[in-house]
Amino acid sequence: RAFLYRLWKGTVSSRMLNPRLQKAMRYYMSFNKHGVRFRGRREVRRTGPELLCELRRRVRVRTLDGKEPPFSALGWRPLVPGVPLSQLHPRGLRTCAVVMSAGAILNSSLGEEIDSHDAVLRFNSAPTRGYEKDVGNKTTVRIINSQILANPSHHFIDSSLYKDVILVAWDPAPYSANLNLWYKKPDYNLFTPYIQHRRRHPTQPFYILHPKFIWQLWDIIQENTREKIQPNPPSSGFIGILIMMSMCREVHVYEYIPSVRQTELCHYHELYYDAACTLGAYHPLLYEKLLVQRLNMGTQADLHHKGKVVLPGFRALRC
Ligand code: C5P
Protein backbone atom coordinates (compact mmCIF):
# COMPACT_ATOMS: atom_id res chain seq x y z
CA ARG A 1 0.00 0.00 0.00
CA ALA A 2 2.87 2.41 0.73
CA PHE A 3 3.71 2.41 -2.98
CA LEU A 4 0.14 3.33 -3.94
CA TYR A 5 0.09 6.27 -1.49
CA ARG A 6 3.33 7.56 -2.94
CA LEU A 7 2.01 7.16 -6.49
CA TRP A 8 -1.02 9.28 -5.55
CA LYS A 9 1.35 11.92 -4.19
CA GLY A 10 3.80 11.62 -7.08
CA THR A 11 6.78 10.64 -4.97
CA VAL A 12 7.63 7.17 -6.33
CA SER A 13 10.79 6.16 -8.14
CA SER A 14 11.63 3.05 -10.11
CA ARG A 15 13.81 1.87 -7.20
CA MET A 16 10.60 1.19 -5.26
CA LEU A 17 9.41 -1.34 -7.84
CA ASN A 18 9.83 -5.04 -7.23
CA PRO A 19 13.21 -6.46 -8.32
CA ARG A 20 11.73 -8.38 -11.25
CA LEU A 21 10.27 -5.20 -12.79
CA GLN A 22 13.50 -3.30 -12.17
CA LYS A 23 15.42 -6.02 -13.96
CA ALA A 24 13.04 -5.93 -16.92
CA MET A 25 13.42 -2.14 -17.11
CA ARG A 26 17.23 -2.43 -17.13
CA TYR A 27 17.00 -4.98 -19.92
CA TYR A 28 14.94 -2.64 -22.12
CA MET A 29 17.31 0.26 -21.32
CA SER A 30 20.33 -1.63 -22.63
CA PHE A 31 18.51 -3.25 -25.55
CA ASN A 32 17.23 0.05 -27.04
CA LYS A 33 15.38 -1.80 -29.76
CA HIS A 34 14.07 1.34 -31.49
CA GLY A 35 17.38 3.20 -31.60
CA VAL A 36 16.32 6.05 -29.30
CA ARG A 37 18.78 8.95 -29.01
CA PHE A 38 17.46 11.59 -26.67
CA ARG A 39 18.71 15.03 -27.66
CA GLY A 40 16.60 17.12 -25.30
CA ARG A 41 17.24 18.25 -21.73
CA ARG A 42 15.62 17.04 -18.57
CA GLU A 43 13.64 19.94 -17.09
CA VAL A 44 11.91 18.34 -14.18
CA ARG A 45 10.88 21.46 -12.32
CA ARG A 46 7.83 22.41 -14.44
CA THR A 47 4.62 22.75 -12.43
CA GLY A 48 1.36 21.12 -13.55
CA PRO A 49 0.03 24.30 -15.24
CA GLU A 50 3.36 24.93 -16.98
CA LEU A 51 3.43 21.37 -18.19
CA LEU A 52 -0.13 21.64 -19.55
CA CYS A 53 0.80 24.68 -21.60
CA GLU A 54 3.94 22.96 -22.83
CA LEU A 55 1.81 20.01 -23.97
CA ARG A 56 -0.65 22.31 -25.70
CA ARG A 57 2.19 24.12 -27.47
CA ARG A 58 3.91 20.99 -28.73
CA VAL A 59 1.52 18.08 -29.06
CA ARG A 60 0.07 17.71 -32.55
CA VAL A 61 -1.91 14.57 -33.19
CA ARG A 62 -0.64 13.30 -36.51
CA THR A 63 -1.73 10.32 -38.61
CA LEU A 64 -0.46 8.88 -41.89
CA ASP A 65 -1.91 11.00 -44.71
CA GLY A 66 -0.43 9.02 -47.60
CA LYS A 67 1.58 12.00 -48.83
CA GLU A 68 5.01 10.79 -47.68
CA PRO A 69 7.14 7.98 -49.12
CA PRO A 70 6.78 5.06 -49.21
CA PHE A 71 3.01 5.52 -48.75
CA SER A 72 2.66 8.14 -51.53
CA ALA A 73 4.08 5.76 -54.12
CA LEU A 74 1.91 2.94 -52.76
CA GLY A 75 -1.23 4.90 -53.57
CA TRP A 76 -2.31 5.55 -49.99
CA ARG A 77 -3.42 9.13 -50.53
CA PRO A 78 -6.99 8.30 -51.64
CA LEU A 79 -7.17 5.36 -49.23
CA VAL A 80 -6.80 7.20 -45.93
CA PRO A 81 -9.90 8.99 -44.57
CA GLY A 82 -10.56 12.33 -46.21
CA VAL A 83 -11.20 14.05 -42.86
CA PRO A 84 -8.18 14.05 -40.53
CA LEU A 85 -8.63 12.71 -36.98
CA SER A 86 -8.06 16.17 -35.51
CA GLN A 87 -10.91 17.54 -37.66
CA LEU A 88 -13.53 14.89 -36.84
CA HIS A 89 -14.98 17.10 -34.09
CA PRO A 90 -13.88 20.54 -35.23
CA ARG A 91 -15.68 22.42 -32.45
CA GLY A 92 -14.40 20.00 -29.83
CA LEU A 93 -16.27 17.58 -27.59
CA ARG A 94 -17.35 18.72 -24.14
CA THR A 95 -16.31 15.97 -21.75
CA CYS A 96 -14.60 12.70 -22.63
CA ALA A 97 -13.78 9.49 -20.78
CA VAL A 98 -10.62 7.45 -21.20
CA VAL A 99 -11.25 3.96 -19.81
CA MET A 100 -8.13 1.98 -18.98
CA SER A 101 -8.38 -1.79 -19.16
CA ALA A 102 -6.93 -2.34 -15.67
CA GLY A 103 -8.31 -5.04 -13.39
CA ALA A 104 -8.83 -2.34 -10.75
CA ILE A 105 -11.94 -1.11 -12.56
CA LEU A 106 -13.81 -4.29 -11.56
CA ASN A 107 -16.46 -3.59 -8.88
CA SER A 108 -16.10 0.16 -9.42
CA SER A 109 -19.73 0.75 -10.57
CA LEU A 110 -18.33 3.52 -12.80
CA GLY A 111 -20.31 2.43 -15.89
CA GLU A 112 -23.05 5.04 -15.64
CA GLU A 113 -20.62 7.89 -15.04
CA ILE A 114 -18.44 6.76 -17.96
CA ASP A 115 -21.40 6.59 -20.35
CA SER A 116 -22.51 10.11 -19.37
CA HIS A 117 -19.53 11.59 -21.24
CA ASP A 118 -19.87 12.86 -24.81
CA ALA A 119 -17.22 10.45 -26.05
CA VAL A 120 -15.58 7.34 -24.60
CA LEU A 121 -12.14 5.99 -25.54
CA ARG A 122 -11.27 2.31 -25.01
CA PHE A 123 -8.24 0.19 -25.83
CA ASN A 124 -7.44 -2.88 -27.87
CA SER A 125 -9.78 -5.81 -27.22
CA ALA A 126 -11.33 -4.47 -24.00
CA PRO A 127 -15.01 -5.51 -24.12
CA THR A 128 -18.04 -3.80 -22.63
CA ARG A 129 -20.53 -6.67 -22.87
CA GLY A 130 -20.83 -8.34 -19.47
CA TYR A 131 -18.94 -5.50 -17.75
CA GLU A 132 -21.41 -2.62 -18.30
CA LYS A 133 -21.87 -1.88 -14.60
CA ASP A 134 -18.17 -1.15 -14.16
CA VAL A 135 -17.02 0.14 -17.57
CA GLY A 136 -20.19 1.33 -19.33
CA ASN A 137 -21.18 0.37 -22.86
CA LYS A 138 -20.53 3.46 -25.00
CA THR A 139 -17.44 3.41 -27.24
CA THR A 140 -16.59 6.33 -29.51
CA VAL A 141 -12.92 5.72 -30.22
CA ARG A 142 -10.81 2.57 -29.94
CA ILE A 143 -7.03 2.66 -29.98
CA ILE A 144 -5.55 -0.61 -31.19
CA ASN A 145 -1.96 -1.75 -31.38
CA SER A 146 -0.59 -3.55 -34.41
CA GLN A 147 -0.94 -6.97 -32.77
CA ILE A 148 -4.73 -6.60 -32.87
CA LEU A 149 -4.54 -6.12 -36.64
CA ALA A 150 -1.90 -8.73 -37.35
CA ASN A 151 -2.83 -11.58 -35.02
CA PRO A 152 -5.84 -13.59 -36.25
CA SER A 153 -6.72 -14.56 -32.67
CA HIS A 154 -8.17 -11.05 -32.19
CA HIS A 155 -10.69 -11.47 -35.05
CA PHE A 156 -10.13 -7.91 -36.19
CA ILE A 157 -12.03 -8.56 -39.40
CA ASP A 158 -15.30 -9.77 -37.88
CA SER A 159 -15.42 -8.83 -34.20
CA SER A 160 -18.08 -6.25 -33.31
CA LEU A 161 -15.55 -4.52 -31.01
CA TYR A 162 -14.04 -2.80 -34.03
CA LYS A 163 -17.29 -1.82 -35.79
CA ASP A 164 -19.11 1.55 -35.56
CA VAL A 165 -16.22 3.27 -33.78
CA ILE A 166 -13.36 5.54 -34.75
CA LEU A 167 -10.28 3.30 -35.00
CA VAL A 168 -6.76 4.54 -34.30
CA ALA A 169 -3.93 2.04 -34.83
CA TRP A 170 -0.24 2.29 -34.00
CA ASP A 171 2.98 0.28 -34.18
CA PRO A 172 6.41 0.99 -32.67
CA ALA A 173 8.57 2.52 -35.42
CA PRO A 174 12.28 3.42 -35.25
CA TYR A 175 12.96 6.58 -33.20
CA SER A 176 14.29 8.16 -36.40
CA ALA A 177 10.71 7.87 -37.71
CA ASN A 178 12.13 6.68 -41.04
CA LEU A 179 8.93 5.54 -42.71
CA ASN A 180 10.73 3.39 -45.30
CA LEU A 181 12.50 1.39 -42.59
CA TRP A 182 9.28 1.10 -40.62
CA TYR A 183 7.26 -0.03 -43.64
CA LYS A 184 9.80 -2.78 -44.38
CA LYS A 185 9.99 -3.96 -40.79
CA PRO A 186 7.05 -3.03 -38.57
CA ASP A 187 6.81 -4.73 -35.17
CA TYR A 188 3.65 -6.44 -36.48
CA ASN A 189 2.46 -5.94 -40.04
CA LEU A 190 -0.45 -3.56 -39.65
CA PHE A 191 -0.23 -2.13 -43.15
CA THR A 192 -1.79 -4.98 -45.11
CA PRO A 193 -4.83 -5.42 -42.82
CA TYR A 194 -5.24 -1.63 -42.68
CA ILE A 195 -5.48 -1.32 -46.45
CA GLN A 196 -7.85 -4.31 -46.66
CA HIS A 197 -10.10 -2.78 -44.02
CA ARG A 198 -10.07 0.65 -45.68
CA ARG A 199 -11.17 -0.93 -48.97
CA ARG A 200 -13.97 -2.91 -47.33
CA HIS A 201 -15.20 -0.15 -45.00
CA PRO A 202 -14.29 3.16 -46.64
CA THR A 203 -16.73 5.18 -44.52
CA GLN A 204 -15.39 4.06 -41.12
CA PRO A 205 -12.87 6.58 -39.75
CA PHE A 206 -9.68 4.54 -39.33
CA TYR A 207 -6.22 6.07 -38.88
CA ILE A 208 -2.64 4.99 -38.31
CA LEU A 209 -0.71 7.25 -35.92
CA HIS A 210 2.41 8.88 -37.33
CA PRO A 211 5.60 7.66 -35.58
CA LYS A 212 6.65 11.30 -35.13
CA PHE A 213 3.63 11.87 -32.89
CA ILE A 214 4.42 8.82 -30.76
CA TRP A 215 8.07 9.71 -30.29
CA GLN A 216 7.22 13.34 -29.63
CA LEU A 217 5.21 12.12 -26.64
CA TRP A 218 8.18 10.00 -25.53
CA ASP A 219 10.50 13.04 -25.71
CA ILE A 220 8.11 15.05 -23.55
CA ILE A 221 7.92 12.30 -20.91
CA GLN A 222 11.74 12.03 -20.78
CA GLU A 223 12.22 15.80 -20.65
CA ASN A 224 9.99 15.98 -17.62
CA THR A 225 11.37 12.97 -15.72
CA ARG A 226 14.45 12.95 -13.50
CA GLU A 227 15.29 9.29 -14.18
CA LYS A 228 16.18 7.75 -17.53
CA ILE A 229 13.03 6.18 -18.92
CA GLN A 230 12.68 3.03 -21.02
CA PRO A 231 13.57 3.81 -24.68
CA ASN A 232 10.26 2.37 -25.89
CA PRO A 233 7.04 4.07 -27.05
CA PRO A 234 4.57 5.29 -24.43
CA SER A 235 1.66 2.96 -23.69
CA SER A 236 -1.61 3.16 -25.61
CA GLY A 237 -3.09 4.64 -22.45
CA PHE A 238 -0.84 7.71 -22.52
CA ILE A 239 -1.27 8.11 -26.28
CA GLY A 240 -5.05 7.99 -25.82
CA ILE A 241 -5.04 10.58 -23.04
CA LEU A 242 -3.21 13.05 -25.27
CA ILE A 243 -5.44 12.41 -28.26
CA MET A 244 -8.49 13.12 -26.10
CA MET A 245 -6.89 16.25 -24.60
CA SER A 246 -6.66 17.63 -28.12
CA MET A 247 -10.28 16.74 -28.99
CA CYS A 248 -12.22 17.47 -25.76
CA ARG A 249 -12.67 20.39 -23.37
CA GLU A 250 -12.28 18.10 -20.35
CA VAL A 251 -10.91 14.57 -20.06
CA HIS A 252 -11.75 12.10 -17.27
CA VAL A 253 -9.27 9.23 -17.11
CA TYR A 254 -10.35 6.08 -15.25
CA GLU A 255 -8.01 3.62 -13.49
CA TYR A 256 -4.78 4.80 -15.06
CA ILE A 257 -3.50 5.91 -11.69
CA PRO A 258 -4.87 3.02 -9.66
CA SER A 259 -7.59 3.49 -7.04
CA VAL A 260 -7.85 1.66 -3.73
CA ARG A 261 -8.94 -1.31 -5.87
CA GLN A 262 -5.38 -1.64 -7.24
CA THR A 263 -4.64 -5.25 -8.17
CA GLU A 264 -2.10 -7.24 -10.12
CA LEU A 265 -4.95 -8.45 -12.33
CA CYS A 266 -3.73 -7.12 -15.66
CA HIS A 267 -7.08 -6.57 -17.45
CA TYR A 268 -10.64 -6.55 -16.13
CA HIS A 269 -11.62 -9.01 -18.87
CA GLU A 270 -8.84 -11.58 -18.53
CA LEU A 271 -7.60 -13.91 -15.79
CA TYR A 272 -3.95 -12.95 -16.00
CA TYR A 273 -1.86 -11.40 -13.23
CA ASP A 274 1.22 -9.26 -13.77
CA ALA A 275 2.25 -6.07 -11.94
CA ALA A 276 4.03 -4.94 -15.14
CA CYS A 277 0.64 -4.15 -16.71
CA THR A 278 0.06 -1.37 -14.17
CA LEU A 279 3.64 -0.25 -13.51
CA GLY A 280 5.37 -0.97 -16.80
CA ALA A 281 8.29 -3.03 -18.06
CA TYR A 282 8.47 -2.40 -21.82
CA HIS A 283 6.55 0.91 -21.74
CA PRO A 284 7.74 3.85 -19.57
CA LEU A 285 4.36 3.47 -17.84
CA LEU A 286 5.39 4.48 -14.30
CA TYR A 287 6.80 7.76 -15.63
CA GLU A 288 3.75 8.40 -17.80
CA LYS A 289 1.61 8.03 -14.70
CA LEU A 290 3.78 10.36 -12.63
CA LEU A 291 3.41 12.98 -15.36
CA VAL A 292 -0.37 12.56 -15.50
CA GLN A 293 -0.51 12.71 -11.69
CA ARG A 294 1.17 16.15 -11.87
CA LEU A 295 -1.51 17.35 -14.31
CA ASN A 296 -4.49 16.12 -12.29
CA MET A 297 -7.10 18.80 -11.56
CA GLY A 298 -9.61 16.41 -9.98
CA THR A 299 -10.10 15.73 -6.28
CA GLN A 300 -8.08 13.36 -4.12
CA ALA A 301 -11.31 11.53 -3.23
CA ASP A 302 -12.02 10.83 -6.93
CA LEU A 303 -8.44 9.65 -7.39
CA HIS A 304 -8.57 7.29 -4.43
CA HIS A 305 -12.09 5.89 -4.90
CA LYS A 306 -12.65 6.11 -8.66
CA GLY A 307 -9.07 5.99 -9.85
CA LYS A 308 -10.07 9.15 -11.71
CA VAL A 309 -7.83 11.91 -12.99
CA VAL A 310 -9.43 15.05 -14.50
CA LEU A 311 -7.48 16.92 -17.16
CA PRO A 312 -8.33 20.09 -19.09
CA GLY A 313 -8.47 19.78 -22.85
CA PHE A 314 -6.00 21.95 -24.73
CA ARG A 315 -8.64 24.36 -25.95
CA ALA A 316 -9.89 24.98 -22.40
CA LEU A 317 -6.43 26.18 -21.32
CA ARG A 318 -5.43 29.80 -20.89
CA CYS A 319 -1.71 29.87 -21.58
O1 C5P B 1 -3.00 -3.61 -22.02
P1 C5P B 1 -3.55 -2.56 -22.91
O2 C5P B 1 -2.45 -1.76 -23.62
O3 C5P B 1 -4.58 -3.03 -23.87
O4 C5P B 1 -4.29 -1.53 -21.95
C1 C5P B 1 -4.62 -0.23 -22.36
C2 C5P B 1 -3.90 0.80 -21.53
O5 C5P B 1 -4.43 0.82 -20.20
C3 C5P B 1 -2.42 0.49 -21.35
O6 C5P B 1 -1.71 0.97 -22.47
C4 C5P B 1 -2.09 1.23 -20.06
O7 C5P B 1 -1.82 2.58 -20.32
C5 C5P B 1 -3.40 1.11 -19.27
N1 C5P B 1 -3.37 0.01 -18.28
C6 C5P B 1 -2.98 0.29 -16.98
N2 C5P B 1 -2.95 -0.70 -16.05
C7 C5P B 1 -3.32 -1.95 -16.36
C8 C5P B 1 -3.70 -2.26 -17.68
C9 C5P B 1 -3.73 -1.25 -18.62
O8 C5P B 1 -2.64 1.44 -16.67
N3 C5P B 1 -3.31 -2.89 -15.40
Side-chain angles (χ1 to χ4, degrees), residues 3 6 11-17 227 286-287 290:
F3 187 87
R6 298 193 71 151
T11 59
V12 292
S13 93
S14 62
R15 288 185 300 277
M16 298 166 193
L17 294 172
E227 298 177 36
L286 180 64
Y287 304 109
L290 284 169

Side-chain angles (χ1 to χ4, degrees), residues 100-103 123-124 145 235-238 255-256 265-267 277-278 285 288-289:
M100 298 301 167
S101 313
F123 297 93
N124 294 317
N145 58 42
S235 73
S236 301
F238 189 79
E255 287 295 359
Y256 186 54
L265 181 66
C266 181
H267 294 130
C277 297
T278 306
L285 189 58
E288 300 170 15
K289 293 187 181 192

